[in-house]
Amino acid sequence: MFSMLRHSTFLPILLALLLASGCASKHIANEEAFDDLAARKAEAFTGDTDSALDKAEDALITARNENIALYSPLHWQQMNESIKTARKDDLAGKNQQAIEAAAWTLTLFESAMTNKQKVEDRLSVLLVQKQTLEEIKANKVLPAAYQKQFEQIKALAQRIEAGRDGNMNDDISDLLEDMQALERDTMLELHWRPARKTLDKAEDEGVDDFAADTFRAAEKLTEEARDTISDQYPNRVLSEQIGKRALRAAQHALYIGREAEKIINMDIDDAEQAALRFEDYLHQLAEALNAGDLRNMAFIDQTLALVQKANELSVNIKAPLEKRIQELTSRLHTLESEASVPVPATSKPKLSQP
């Protein structure tokens, strides 16, 4: 009798949840057992609506923290609908209905956590690759592609959740290939694209023709960066290093092209002012290094004098530091030697005999 009563009470809740969440055609595996499980939980909360709601709310928070929306999307949808029902019934003073809806939330939560373990086992390679993509910020660098693959993982998890996962190894393999391609494309966007964009800017400005050799060298290095990153994208250090080299070469080509264009297009008066500006740059360095006024010298001689002065300052700075390091090292060795010497035990004074 009680079993019939339980089913007549909980079946409408189940149907309402399925219809509200749009899952009427997407049942959770073994969902027919939830009715009895939820009924038993509701019995334990009889007369204690607050406790039932608190437990259900805590379960929802835990489910959110456990990313159940990814691992058990059908459960997550129904949990949200059942907790809404519980809250609504509680506000309406329908205590028993609120307890029953809260019991459904708890039942769904327990099943969702069990399903999460299945998903983690079955889709482990995809979840590891997903973490890799997030580490390199693929979700921010190429958000549309990342979101599409996220939804595909979610769809596979839903198949496991619904018990329709018997033949999906090929789907897992195909998605893994796509995710690895996204990892490659993300690394290219991060470490190759900036150099390519800089070269494109030089072409748009038309300054590549004014520094043809520099531009060709930068273009060659940028192509090498693209090929290297494409082949070895899991090596993040290498990808970053060659990407930086390509970017610096591209920036060098852009700035040299701009300066070369100015030189070609300037008249006699402009040429004099350009020479004076460059001389002023050297003079500012000379003042910073306390090298005196070198403007009576050719630019190349000024440069050599500044290099020599910088080397002298470097030696003068390093010498006392190295001497101090030697002193501290010697002192440390002395302290270590002193600490290693055993301390003789002190003998107790003998008591005088009366």
Side-chain angles (χ1 to χ4, degrees), residues 45 49-68 76 79-80 82-84 86-87 101-110 112-113:
F45 290 114
T49 309
D50 289 343
S51 181
L53 287 171
D54 288 345
K55 294 281 188 183
E57 295 286 1
D58 289 344
L60 193 71
I61 293 171
T62 302
R64 184 179 295 109
N65 293 337
E66 292 289 338
N67 201 11
I68 290 301
W76 177 247
M79 281 184 70
N80 278 279
S82 62
I83 197 68
K84 288 178 184 177
R87 293 165 182 161
W104 263 102
T105 304
L106 293 170
T107 301
L108 288 164
F109 170 70
E110 291 176 358
M113 293 300 291

